[in-house]
Amino acid sequence: MTFPLISVALGGALGAVLRFVLASALMRDGFPVAILTVNVLGSFSMGLAAVLLGKAGLANVQPFLLTGVLGGFTTFSAFSLETLTLIERGTVGQAVFYVCLSVGLSLVAVALGLFIARSLL
């Protein structure tokens, strides 16, 4: 149990640094192209890695790469993989519900957090 935790922690640190470097390099005023790029690249990489690691029999690398590096790079990649997994299972209704709930509740949560923080200041 200890090795996977360390592996995820190290991968997460690496992913967060990669996100910061890429987002800093792409930062522009206006439309959030930097984070959009991070989310799309992370999702693409999650799809590739999930299949390639599975086929190569490298399940022991998944905590480091999928949960750690890509999770630290962007949690949107995990969200994307979970959504497509629901669709592939034939539960399209659940996938749509999951997307709507995730995006909707996340927007409400950030709005609530902003409201509370602003009211405290």
Side-chain angles (χ1 to χ4, degrees):
M1 181 63 166
T2 302
F3 181 73
L5 291 177
I6 293 169
S7 178
V8 169
L10 292 174
L14 178 60
V17 168
L18 290 171
R19 178 182 63 229
F20 177 79
V21 169
L22 183 61
S24 295
L26 297 175
M27 191 61 65
R28 305 286 184 271
D29 288 335
F31 192 78
V33 68
I35 298 305
L36 175 64
T37 302
V38 165
N39 286 338
V40 172
L41 278 176
S43 295
F44 175 75
S45 299
M46 179 69 81
L48 278 178
V51 171
L52 296 177
L53 290 176
K55 290 206 183 257
L58 297 172
N60 58 325
V61 179
Q62 287 180 347
F64 172 76
L65 187 59
L66 299 184
T67 305
V69 175
L70 292 175
F73 188 63
T74 172
T75 57
F76 197 81
S77 57
F79 165 76
S80 299
L81 180 62
E82 289 172 347
T83 301
L84 282 177
T85 299
L86 289 171
I87 291 169
E88 288 176 347
R89 288 183 187 156
T91 56
V92 176
Q94 282 186 359
V96 170
F97 182 67
Y98 176 63
V99 168
C100 292
L101 206 58
S102 294
V103 173
L105 289 176
S106 294
L107 288 171
V108 168
V110 76
L112 182 61
L114 286 170
F115 174 78
I116 291 170
R118 287 175 178 158
S119 68
L120 295 174
L121 298 176

